[in-house]
Amino acid sequence: QVQLVESGGGLVQAGGSLRLSCAASGSIFSIGAMGWYRQVPGKQRELVAAITTDGSTNFADSVNGRFTISRDNAKNTVFLQMNSLKPEDTAVYYCNAAVRSTAWGLSHAYWGQGTQVTVSS
């Protein structure tokens, strides 16, 4: 089993910053891409940012230039630095990771439990 535990969400005023962290633990041989998604009630979950093992990144247009994503491969952790936050960034943020539990096994996608980010105007 693999667990992803997120932290760092909360309430912040517009223009402020938050840093989310997500640590993977359990039966891990290797981790491929890691990313952050967000979801608001009544809408589909959407990709916010993703990062590969070699550090290549991808961002949603709505956050490009304001958010950065990074990872610490030694600690199986991914971070999302969110700056210049806007009320429309309010959502539950979920961590995602592609994990192989054995050298010969397939990669499976795991999700964290989600952390609430609320940006007040």
Side-chain angles (χ1 to χ4, degrees):
Q1 278 287 22
V2 174
Q3 298 81 38
L4 301 182
V5 178
E6 300 128 337
S7 61
L11 173 65
V12 65
Q13 288 189 332
S17 298
L18 283 174
R19 187 182 193 227
L20 305 182
S21 301
C22 172
S25 63
S27 182
I28 298 172
F29 174 77
S30 66
I31 301 178
M34 303 182 81
W36 291 93
Y37 290 70
R38 66 187 182 188
Q39 188 171 24
V40 298
K43 292 191 176 182
Q44 287 189 332
R45 192 172 297 186
E46 64 173 3
L47 174 67
V48 175
I51 184 168
T52 63
T53 52
D54 63 359
S56 297
T57 59
N58 183 39
F59 295 93
D61 290 342
S62 59
V63 307
N64 203 12
R66 299 187 296 122
F67 292 10
T68 58
I69 187 171
S70 59
R71 63 190 287 170
D72 184 335
N73 291 328
K75 296 182 179 180
N76 294 331
T77 301
V78 63
F79 306 96
L80 183 69
Q81 178 66 43
M82 305 184 292
N83 298 327
S84 302
L85 282 161
K86 304 175 180 180
E88 50 263 43
D89 294 318
T90 296
V92 178
Y93 284 70
Y94 296 91
C95 172
N96 174 271
V99 180
R100 292 174 65 195
S101 294
T102 62
W104 54 87
L106 297 176
S107 178
H108 294 277
Y110 291 90
W111 292 92
Q113 79 285 357
T115 185
Q116 178 69 46
V117 171
T118 302
V119 184
S120 63
S121 57

